[in-house]
Amino acid sequence: LVSASGYIVGTLCVMAPEPKTLDPRAIDALRRLADQVIRLLQDAPPRAGGDMAAPAMQKTPVRGQFHSQASILFTDFVGFTRHTEALEPAVLLETLARYFGAFDKICERFDLTRIKTIGDSYMAAAGIPVANADHARDAVAAGLAIRDYIAAENNARVALGEPAWDIRIGVHSGPAISGSLGEHGIDIWGDTVNVASRLESASDAGRVNISEATLTLLGSATTEERGTLPVKNKAPLRMYFVDQLN
């Protein structure tokens, strides 16, 4: 059990008569139950001794927030090094800025928060900083919109005899920590972020690659099961390409 400010306040123990494995849907249900417990604890009147987390909060200027459920979106242009070698620096930066500006508008439309860009990679989150029950669907919808935007742009580029800018997209859902370090804006940390990045790397050009955890939260969608694939520095993951949301 983690408070909204990011402090561990207890453990939720769930027992069964026989050993079993929890599927992503059961894990999500447990996270929602943990959220309800945390809300009850935080709404309770303070004990005589006061809030034990308060001194720690007063010692650091870092402000953090724990999110039991969020969806992280990563994009990355395929063969970006080839573009850096073929284009003038100004043209390269103008193209990147135009694409990222379009991604910003798409994220705004689907209620995602742009976290940052790293080179030619773009990172955004749904359900951060404000909790949203539809975070997985919003993140995937944004990924599909980015896919379609890039496809339309590439059709125009090819018609003009210019090289296409293919893109890979990955989405993963799970707990994450958001925070502000000084004046550098919001950032996010956690295993969910790392897995989302791995899903993007394992995607194909022009496809939105998601995890089983994200698929469980989507509802109705047209997907292509890819099976269990190896992931760098992680256990193999079940992955799916999403074609459309229904």
Side-chain angles (χ1 to χ4, degrees), residues 3-7 53-54 56-67 128-129 176-189:
S3 69
S5 56
Y7 290 93
M57 289 293 290
Q58 293 170 0
K59 292 179 180 178
T60 172
V62 178
R63 296 187 300 174
Q65 184 176 2
F66 175 75
H67 308 269
I128 293 176
I177 300 170
S178 69
S180 176
L181 300 177
E183 299 179 355
H184 297 289
I186 188 174
D187 205 345
I188 54 178
W189 301 268

Side-chain angles (χ1 to χ4, degrees), residues 161-177:
E162 299 177 354
W165 282 54
D166 292 319
I167 197 168
R168 292 188 303 257
I169 303 168
V171 178
H172 179 55
S173 304
I177 300 170

